[in-house]
């Protein structure tokens, strides 16, 4: 079987089942654990295979209306007028909304949770105001008794557009004579500020050392230009929500989101509500990858519900998702690297131009910061441009900003290794960032695992396996910051000793399992006795969204702290029952024990026993935590890939793929591996086949899964994984986020492998069959 | 005449008389039954989140096939058993083997695609085949997962699908068999009024006379295309005439010199017979749409709606296929290559029905090849589809036929290029090169590919040249590359021992050990 690779996983610290007991209460990662590192079935595993799991579109309320959106057919057009009178008069139509229903907001970046948000832009993105800024931009919405009438009503809304010249290419958008997406946009980050508006929203610069000095010391310098296409997150579940206003002005909103607290904040702002009047309930979420961290339908559904007095359900079609929701930005990147003949990298320079879409805020800053992050380089200069174009506003997609810039840098590093005849892995080892190195973007790294992933790659059988003639092997490393942030968790002890775990981060890939395991480990009880739930916005304090690879880390820390809070109470209750001092009670293996002989002779009290008598010892026992998690450990990974290229059609086949990543500590190794495999496969799609194709009028030509080709089963081998564990000292068990880093290396790893096979350096993504065939013909 | 449809749900017969002509099975499940386990991910038959299994009797046995419920019409479900993800497990303690395997393999991350995977694997489980990775790829080509990278899903499939189904469905198969048999009748179905109806006539005559009365009615085979007119283009199709109940249009006749395929035969039903013509056809069909699409889609429909990018017309044309049409009492037969007139225009009158396709089998001295070029290996529209047939006598090409899809407004033969190939000494590499040079000069007289989002004209041209070179070289038994354009040419998957008719002259075609 082609590309069938060994499925064995080198994971020295993982165990297959509960191991021996240990004193608990939040210890460091190198002590033996009973639950951390095991692979039990996840709490929602059965729900997922039986169809019982309820996603955004599965919520149904009595008298519910269907909401649909009218979208701009133009990439760029002034909206002269909107006449919805005929639509409003259609029987069965209960509400029509347009720009007039939303109050304008000032243009300023204000904090919203962990983010800075410009509500002037957001109110325009959810509903076009002066202009439609991309094909698919929402212009009006209706709520009707059924979908047929809603669609009919949309067709009766008269919009007078004045089509304008559009621009979708990042370089064309930066040209002085480009059509202006916003007539009042003045480039930030330039001193003195320009007097004329442009499409360049922001210029940023990261410098350390002196690159001119660096390049002067270099024996060889390679400079290359790269282009990447926008790619969509491609979650299989379409955006969907149900909004229900009650007469007292309060509302409930069910939606598929990565962060319902964030949704609450945005919607309350756009609707002019107090946040306490809006309760947001996160449904199960059918994939997000960053794309469900923003609001599209939710404010519209709320407005339609407020106006109609009925609950309103809205769901996007796949076509709407492609036309109107955020892709990762397309980019144009120039990278220049200087190296000495001994393989030491002495200077790195890059200029990044990122498509922000219709509103500023591309992840170009992260792209700048990540570009050279895997390397210890003395002289670095990175300049970034955030450029608005007539495309949907870019949204986060797994390590937002990093895959593009690291693709460029990792491609150049590979080329340099070939130039000096050095093994590209050894070259990376020789320059790898490690603890104590000042990162190219500023801070000094604590314990990190890049070197360990490179060593694991070097020692992996994949690295030495023979290749057939014509095949190629590539390697690339990748970095992502990972984040922590504001997080709450509650553990409610039931009277039978079971525990209801309430977290505020929607579970997108198995985090309920990893939170349960951390709670079980800390409490010393069986993980099956803990039932996790994602609480709504009324049941928990503000909790930032699932993103930044933060959930297992930050919600994990909150859960551990909540468990320790509960343990303190449990010890107190045991002390009360035994009539001794609380300090004389230890909590070991899920039970209270006297701390030593001096404390007295008592039969240990189990969690269930203390829970059963809680009413007599002071009432309910609830462990709580509200934290602002700090110290997220940076994530590094190294990927190995073998490819074969069909010389007759240009098709690249992935024969073998190995992902090696530092997880700090793998709480549930299967879900860590799942993140590594899934990220790698998304990267394979990004590298080889996923692209947005526009016509000359700025209209998307491939808004569906048939022509936007995400990988299917036959496109990928069984992805191998190796989890490296360099514990993160900030987390009690050593956890680092793992979700984003794995999408960073694949594009360069694959381009490097193709170069190894063909001797052709591809700098533009995707490396699709036509491009490969064309290059093959050009070199004869 | 029946004014209702009947199907089996959870062991019971369900009768429905309120069926709107374009109501999809998915809407019925989610909105009427409130069986919300089945998901809508694209409403275009691409992602497979809506996959359900339909059971039907075939050759006296219950066969479960996966279908996309988002584009299947409810009316088409008459006579079938419908199995959804909600039906498989009586309790959490008694999960279906494919469900247990998926849970143990941690094969869900977000879990939204999981119901569709469960149902595709349920169908694979009941196919009685022992799964290997290649078979898993075939059965899962129509299911997209964006979270897992597929590995744990494939692992679960390999663990669960052992070729010996033993579940609640296999245990109650006698009862299901009896229920399915009880649903068989020869009544015409007609639900609605003259303005708006769903009709499924049971005989050719009834079909023809209905279409005489309602010439504008939409004729539906498997709805794999019409379904998108409804869900994506939002067209209003008030009158639907489904061909699936016409018994005579379901026949597949395999003769020594030809194969006849009824106009309502699905790809799944025709696969085994068509594979006998040539292993390339088997490979091609394996890559046509997905299992879900082939379970419903009909070859007749693929031809009749005249898509310029259909995967079947080029090879059928090259083989000299004919189509038989009927309108009223008038029957006619014409070569398929004459059926396509211009973009979107076929030689078919309103209300005229495509009864069957007659496919001649190549003679021993006729060598056939076909290749599909698409950006993604599975589940993709062809950028170019090339089909070739060379009659070789005494080492010389005496007759050549070639047709390309994706290279013009209609699938068509390349008469000028063909002419340039006649006389080529097939075993002489120089002669082949000369023939290619001659052919290249004729190329643009036959083809005028367009640039679109699937491929550029330049790429189509370049690849189409490669395909002819490849076909010539392969027929001369000099494979140009280890990797085949549509996978490797091997025969070991053909179950029927019918290989000696046309392929024993190709040693390279007989390499059962080559990996896939």
């Amino acid at each position: 079987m082609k590309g069938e690779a060994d499925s064995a996983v080198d994971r020295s610290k993982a165990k297959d089942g509960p191991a021996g007991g240990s004193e608990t209460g939040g210890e460091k990662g190198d002590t033996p654990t009973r639950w951390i590192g095991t692979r039990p079935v996840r709490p929602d595993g059965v729900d997922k295979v039986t169809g019982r799991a309820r996603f955004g579109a599965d919520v149904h309320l009595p008298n519910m209306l269907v909401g649909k959106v009218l979208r701009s057919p133009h990439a760029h057009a002034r909206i002269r007028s909107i006449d919805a009178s005929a639509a409003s008069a259609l029987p069965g139509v209960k509400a029509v909304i347009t720009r007039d229903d939303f109050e304008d907001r000032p243009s300023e970046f204000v904090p919203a949770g962990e983010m800075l948000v410009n509500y002037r832009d957001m109110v325009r993105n959810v509903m076009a105001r002066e202009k439609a800024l991309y094909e698919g931009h929402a212009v009006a919405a209706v709520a009707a008794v059924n979908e047929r009438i809603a669609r009919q009503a949309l067709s009766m809304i008269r919009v007078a557009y004045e089509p304008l010249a559009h621009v979708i290419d990042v370089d064309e958008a930066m040209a002085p004579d480009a059509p202006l997406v916003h007539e009042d946009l003045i480039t930030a980050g330039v001193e003195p500020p320009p007097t004329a508006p442009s499409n360049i929203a922001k210029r940023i610069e990261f410098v350390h050392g002196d690159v001119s000095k660096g390049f002067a010391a270099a024996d060889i310098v390679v400079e290359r230009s790269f282009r990447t296409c926008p790619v969509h997150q491609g979650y299989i579940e379409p955006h969907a929500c149900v909004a229900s206003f009650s007469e007292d002005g309060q509302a409930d909103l069910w939606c598929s989101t990565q962060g319902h607290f964030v949704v609450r904040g945005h919607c309350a702002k756009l609707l002019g509500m107090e946040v306490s009047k809006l309760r947001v309930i996160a449904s199960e979420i059918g994939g997000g990858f960053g794309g469900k961290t923003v609001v599209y339908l939710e404010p519209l559904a709320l407005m339609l519900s407020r106006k109609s007095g009925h609950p309103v359900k809205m769901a996007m079609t796949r076509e709407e998702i492609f036309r109107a929701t955020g892709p990762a930005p397309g980019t144009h990147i120039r990278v220049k690297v200087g190296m000495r003949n001994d393989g030491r990298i002495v200077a790195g320079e890059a200029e990044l131009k990122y498509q922000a879409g219709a509103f500023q805020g591309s992840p170009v800053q992260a792209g700048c910061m990540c570009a050279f992050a895997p390397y210890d380089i003395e002289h670095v200069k990175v300049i970034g441009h955030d450029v608005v174009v007539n495309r949907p506003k870019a949204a986060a997609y797994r390590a937002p900003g990093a895959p593009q810039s690291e693709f460029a840098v990792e491609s150049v590093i590979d080329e340099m290794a070939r130039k000096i005849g050095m093994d590209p892995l050894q070259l990376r080892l020789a320059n790898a960032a490690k603890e104590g190195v000042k990162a190219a973007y500023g801070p000094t790294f604590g314990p990190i695992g890049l070197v360990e992933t490179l060593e694991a790659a070097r020692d992996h059988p994949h690295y030495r396996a023979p290749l057939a003639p014509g095949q190629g092997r590539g390697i690339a490393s990748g970095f992502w910051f990972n984040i922590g942030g504001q997080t709450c968790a509650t553990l409610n002890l039931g009277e039978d000793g079971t525990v209801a775990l309430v977290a505020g981060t929607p579970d997108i890939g198995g985090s309920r399992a990893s939170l349960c395991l951390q709670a079980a480990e800390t409490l010393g009880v069986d993980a099956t006795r803990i039932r996790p739930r994602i609480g709504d916005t009324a049941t928990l304090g503000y909790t930032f969204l699932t993103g930044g690879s933060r959930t297992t880390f930050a919600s994990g820390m909150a859960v551990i702290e909540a468990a320790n809070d509960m343990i303190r109470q449990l010890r107190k209750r045991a002390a009360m029952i035994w009539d001794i001092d609380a300090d004389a009670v230890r909590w070991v293996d899920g039970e209270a024990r006297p701390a030593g002989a001096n404390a007295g002779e008592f039969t240990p009290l189990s969690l269930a026993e203390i829970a059963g008598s809680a009413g007599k010892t002071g009432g309910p026992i609830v462990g709580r935590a509200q934290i602002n998690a700090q110290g997220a450990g940076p994530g590094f990974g190294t990927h190995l890939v073998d490819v074969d290229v069909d010389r007759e059609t240009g098709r690249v086949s992935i024969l073998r793929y190995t992902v090696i990543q530092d997880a700090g500590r793998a709480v549930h190794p299967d879900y860590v591996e799942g993140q590594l495999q899934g990220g790698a496969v998304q990267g394979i799609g990004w590298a080889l086949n996923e692209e947005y194709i526009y016509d000359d009028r700025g209209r998307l030509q491939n808004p569906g899964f048939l022509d936007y080709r995400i990988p299917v089963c036959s496109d990928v081998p069984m992805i191998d994984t190796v989890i490296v564990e360099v514990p993160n000292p900030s987390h009690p068990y050593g956890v680092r986020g793992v979700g984003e880093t794995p999408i960073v290396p694949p594009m360069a790893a694959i381009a490097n492998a193709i170069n190894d096979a063909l001797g052709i350096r591809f700098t533009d993504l995707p490396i699709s069959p036509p491009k490969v065939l064309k290059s093959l013909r050009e070199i004869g | 005449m029946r004014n209702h449809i009947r199907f089996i749900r959870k062991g019971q017969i369900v009768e429905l008389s309120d069926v709107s002509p374009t109501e999809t099975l998915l809407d019925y499940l989610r909105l009427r039954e409130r069986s919300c386990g089945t998901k809508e991910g694209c409403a275009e038959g691409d992602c497979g989140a809506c996959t359900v299994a339909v059971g039907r009797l075939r050759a006296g046995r219950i066969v479960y096939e996966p279908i996309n419920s988002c584009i299947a019409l409810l009316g088409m479900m008459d006579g079938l058993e419908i199995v959804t993800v909600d039906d498989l497990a009586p309790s959490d303690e008694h999960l279906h083997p494919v469900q247990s395997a998926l849970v143990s393999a941690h094969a869900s991350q977000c879990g939204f695609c999981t119901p569709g995977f469960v149902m595709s694997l349920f169908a694979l489980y009941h196919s009685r085949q022992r799964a290997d990775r290649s078979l898993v790829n075939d059965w899962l080509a129509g299911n997209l997962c964006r979270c897992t990278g597929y590995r744990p899903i494939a692992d679960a499939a390999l663990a669960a699908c052992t070729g010996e189904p033993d579940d609640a469905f296999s245990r109650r198969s006698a009862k299901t068999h009896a229920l399915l048999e009880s649903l068989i009748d020869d009544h015409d179905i007609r639900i609605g009024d003259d303005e708006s109806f769903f009709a499924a006539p049971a005989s050719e005559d009834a079909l023809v006379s209905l279409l005489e009365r309602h010439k504008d009615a939409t004729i539906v085979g498997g709805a794999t295309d019409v379904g998108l007119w409804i869900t994506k283009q939002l067209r209003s199709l008030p009158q639907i005439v489904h061909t699936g109940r016409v018994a005579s249009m379901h026949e597949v006749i395999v003769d020594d010199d030809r194969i006849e395929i009824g106009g309502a035969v699905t790809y799944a039903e025709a696969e085994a017979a068509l594979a006998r013509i040539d292993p390339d056809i088997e490979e091609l069909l394996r890559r046509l749409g997905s299992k879900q699409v082939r379970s419903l889609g009909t070859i007749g429909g693929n031809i009749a709606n005249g898509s310029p990018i259909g995967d079947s017309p080029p090879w059928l044309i090259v083989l000299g296929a004919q189509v038989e049409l009927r309108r009223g009492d008038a029957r006619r037969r014409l070569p398929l290559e004459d059926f396509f007139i211009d973009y979107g225009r076929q030689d078919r009158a309103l209300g005229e029905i495509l009864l069957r396709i007659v496919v001649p089998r190549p003679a021993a001295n006729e060598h056939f090849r076909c290749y599909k070029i698409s950006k993604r290996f599975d589940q993709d529209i062809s950028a170019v589809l090339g089909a070739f047939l060379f009659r070789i006598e005494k080492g010389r090409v005496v007759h050549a036929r070639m047709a390309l899809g994706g290279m013009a407004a209609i699938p068509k033969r390349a008469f000028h290029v063909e002419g340039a190939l006649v006389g080529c000494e097939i075993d002489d590499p120089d002669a082949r090169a000369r023939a290619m040079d001659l052919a290249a000069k004729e190329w643009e007289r036959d083809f005028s590919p367009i640039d679109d989002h699937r491929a550029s004209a330049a790429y189509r041209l370049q690849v189409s040249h490669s395909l002819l070179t490849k076909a010539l070289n392969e027929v001369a038994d000099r494979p140009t590359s280890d990797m085949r354009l549509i996978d490797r040419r091997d025969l070991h998957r053909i179950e029927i021992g019918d290989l000696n008719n046309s392929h024993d002259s190709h040693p390279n075609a007989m390499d059962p050990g080559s990996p896939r």
Side-chain angles (χ1 to χ4, degrees), chain B residues 468-488:
Chain B
L468 176 59
T469 308
K470 187 167 191 73
L472 282 172
N473 289 346
E474 280 193 3
V475 168
D477 191 18
R478 283 178 182 78
T480 47
S481 149
D482 187 42
M483 189 188 298
R484 287 273 305 185
L485 297 174
I486 57 162
D487 217 332
R488 291 159 208 259

Side-chain angles (χ1 to χ4, degrees), chain A residues 449-648:
Chain A
L450 174 59
V451 167
E452 286 77 358
T453 67
L454 285 162
E455 287 169 350
R458 182 193 59 202
D459 300 339
H460 195 280
H462 182 169
Y463 194 60
R464 312 218 168 278
L467 286 170
Q471 298 178 349
R473 175 165 299 149
I475 179 175
S477 296
F479 158 81
W480 182 248
F481 314 91
N482 300 326
I483 62 167
Q486 299 177 64
T487 312
C488 293
T490 306
L491 296 172
N492 298 308
L493 181 59
E495 55 269 39
D496 59 357
T498 58
V499 176
L501 185 166
V502 186
T505 40
D507 179 355
I508 211 161
S511 57
R512 271 168 291 193
S514 68
L515 298 183
C516 254
L517 293 181
Q518 293 179 74
E521 189 72 48
T522 310
L523 285 174
V525 303
D526 201 294
T528 58
R529 306 269 289 169
I530 301 172
R531 294 304 300 176
R533 246 173 221 292
I534 307 304
D536 64 47
T537 56
T539 56
L540 272 182
Y542 180 87
T543 298
F544 189 54
L545 49 75
T546 292
S549 301
R550 73 178 213 95
T551 298
T552 296
F553 168 73
S555 277
M557 280 171 76
V559 161
I560 292 165
E561 186 167 317
N564 284 327
D565 181 33
M566 180 177 279
I567 289 170
R568 277 190 293 278
Q569 297 171 49
L570 292 165
R571 285 169 48 218
K572 212 179 278 176
R573 303 299 174 94
M576 196 182 291
I577 292 167
W578 291 333
D579 197 19
I580 61 176
D581 196 78
D583 290 341
V585 180
R586 291 194 308 154
W587 187 259
V588 186
D589 281 353
E591 58 185 26
R593 294 180 192 165
N598 291 343
E601 286 271 327
F602 301 103
T603 312
L605 286 165
S606 70
L607 184 69
E609 286 166 326
I610 299 174
S613 60
K616 286 178 254 166
T617 58
I621 297 172
V622 177
R624 291 175 210 283
Q626 44 271 333
I627 64 170
N628 195 351
Q630 302 296 314
F636 285 92
T638 297
H639 293 201
L640 288 172
V641 59
D642 296 351
V643 301
D644 199 349
V645 185
D646 185 334
R647 269 74 172 169
E648 289 166 341

Side-chain angles (χ1 to χ4, degrees), chain B residues 284-301:
Chain B
L284 183 75
L285 294 179
R286 205 167 68 81
R287 287 182 58 201
L288 188 146
S290 58
K291 275 277 173 197
Q292 288 92 323
V293 168
R294 299 196 294 276
S295 298
L296 286 181
T298 64
I299 303 177

Side-chain angles (χ1 to χ4, degrees), chain B residues 420-440:
Chain B
L421 299 173
V422 171
C424 171
E425 300 268 0
I426 191 76
D427 291 325
D428 174 0
D430 294 336
R432 289 203 304 275
R434 280 196 303 278
M436 269 311 298
D437 284 346
L438 280 177

Side-chain angles (χ1 to χ4, degrees), chain B residues 49-77:
Chain B
C50 68
T51 302
V52 303
V54 292
R56 65 175 101 217
L57 294 178
R58 195 166 285 156
R61 247 185 50 195
I62 303 172
V63 175
Y64 287 104
E65 292 177 327
I67 65 166
N68 289 314
S69 64
C70 68
I71 51 171
L73 301 184
L74 177 60
M76 290 162 49
M77 295 300 112

Side-chain angles (χ1 to χ4, degrees), chain A residues 7 42 58 648 707 709 714, chain B residues 39 108 151 378 380 480:
Chain A
S7 66
R42 67 199 269 179
D58 298 333
E648 289 166 341
D707 287 312
R709 299 172 184 80
S714 63
Chain B
K39 305 301 180 196
S108 305
R151 177 173 180 155
D378 275 322
D380 200 356
T480 47

Side-chain angles (χ1 to χ4, degrees), chain A residues 1-9 39-42 44-55 57-58 60 147 151 231-238 284-287 289 313 316-319 321 397-398 507-510 644-651 653 655 668 670-671 673-675 677-679 681-682 685 689-691 693 701-721 768-771 773-774 777, chain B residues 27 30-31 34-44 46-49 85-89 91-93 95 98-100 102-115 117-118 132-134 136-138 140-155 158 228 231-232 234 287 372-381 452-456 458-459 462-463 465-467 470 473 479-485 487-488 515-516:
Chain A
M1 240 175 279
K2 184 181 64 181
E4 206 75 354
D6 185 1
S7 66
V9 175
R39 301 169 178 252
V41 165
R42 67 199 269 179
D44 53 322
V46 172
D47 287 354
K48 296 285 164 69
V49 298
T50 55
R52 196 162 59 210
R54 287 287 175 256
F55 292 86
D58 298 333
H60 192 90
E147 184 169 341
R151 287 189 187 282
V231 289
H232 198 272
Q233 295 83 353
Y235 33 80
I236 309 295
E237 183 202 19
E284 290 290 337
I285 171 170
F289 315 109
K313 179 192 277 193
M316 282 197 197
T317 64
R318 183 56 54 183
E319 189 173 331
I321 293 170
Y397 179 23
R398 232 172 174 154
D507 179 355
I508 211 161
D644 199 349
V645 185
D646 185 334
R647 269 74 172 169
E648 289 166 341
T649 62
R651 193 169 87 91
S653 304
L655 304 177
H668 190 306
D670 265 286
Y671 290 109
E673 289 157 8
Q675 291 298 316
Q677 291 159 347
V681 169
Q682 289 182 334
N689 240 333
E690 294 181 29
E691 59 188 318
I693 301 165
Q701 297 299 291
N702 58 332
F705 276 140
L706 187 59
D707 287 312
Y708 183 88
R709 299 172 184 80
I710 75 172
V712 301
C713 196
S714 63
D715 287 327
V716 293
M718 296 294 221
I719 308 286
D720 281 329
T721 51
S768 59
K771 264 185 214 161
L773 192 63
K774 188 161 175 278
R777 294 295 150 102
Chain B
D27 275 353
R30 287 184 59 90
L31 301 178
R34 286 280 149 76
S35 296
C36 288
T38 308
K39 305 301 180 196
E40 178 175 307
C42 70
E44 300 176 45
D46 295 330
C47 80
V85 68
D86 313 88
D87 312 337
L88 295 197
S91 72
D92 286 6
E93 289 69 43
L95 293 180
V98 303
Q99 290 174 316
S100 308
L102 286 163
V103 171
S104 319
H106 306 283
S108 305
Q109 275 182 36
C110 81
F112 188 79
C113 69
T114 305
F117 277 97
V118 167
D132 60 19
R133 178 69 202 270
S134 157
V136 169
N137 285 350
D138 288 351
L140 296 184
N143 291 85
L144 297 179
C145 168
R146 191 61 157 171
C147 293
T148 63
Y150 298 102
R151 177 173 180 155
I153 300 172
D155 282 337
L158 296 174
L228 271 72
T231 61
K232 194 163 184 196
L234 309 172
R287 287 182 58 201
K372 171 171 175 160
I373 303 299
S374 55
K375 286 191 183 170
R376 184 167 61 196
F377 187 73
D378 275 322
Q379 206 15 354
D380 200 356
I381 300 265
D452 71 5
H453 61 278
R454 299 213 164 95
S456 67
Y459 179 67
Q462 204 172 54
V463 165
H465 282 279
S466 303
L467 295 185
K470 187 167 191 73
N473 289 346
T480 47
S481 149
D482 187 42
M483 189 188 298
R484 287 273 305 185
L485 297 174
D487 217 332
R488 291 159 208 259
R516 304 175 62 86

